[in-house]
Amino acid sequence: MFYADLHIHSRYSRATSRDCDLPHLDFWARKKGIALLGTGDFTHPAWRQELREQLVPAEEGLYRLRPEFRLPCQVAGEPVEPRFLV
């Protein structure tokens, strides 16, 4: 069993935080133990460019954040490396 959040908006959506970027989404997923995130707004050109630049393939159809974009995060227990679903 794992936890997923598939209803995500990017920072390009109306009335969302400018921190709704991939590094912050990854950070909070690790803090909360969420293993799978939807990328949301994947049709927005600027967001699609960020997805291309910051994500790398993980398992088939899933991506993970490039290590150089990860924010430091202290997590108790076994850490989760979130995957993104476009």
Side-chain angles (χ1 to χ4, degrees):
M1 182 172 88
F2 63 90
Y3 295 99
D5 188 349
L6 302 176
H7 188 80
I8 299 282
H9 293 283
S10 74
R11 61 191 174 134
Y12 298 103
S13 293
R14 286 183 168 178
T16 58
S17 170
R18 68 183 104 118
D19 286 344
C20 276
D21 56 15
L22 294 168
H24 284 95
L25 292 172
D26 175 81
F27 172 87
W28 285 105
R30 284 184 284 134
K31 279 279 223 203
K32 296 177 179 184
I34 297 173
L36 180 63
L37 293 165
T39 55
D41 304 327
F42 65 91
T43 59
H44 192 285
W47 185 240
R48 259 196 345 252
Q49 184 61 36
E50 288 184 33
L51 295 174
R52 275 190 222 101
E53 292 171 355
Q54 297 179 29
L55 296 178
V56 293
E59 294 80 32
E60 186 176 340
L62 299 176
Y63 300 85
R64 63 180 170 77
L65 188 65
R66 290 181 185 272
E68 62 266 27
F69 291 103
R70 292 188 102 183
L71 300 173
C73 174
Q74 296 294 325
V75 178
E78 190 173 330
V80 171
E81 186 177 359
R83 298 299 196 248
F84 290 88
L85 177 65
V86 177

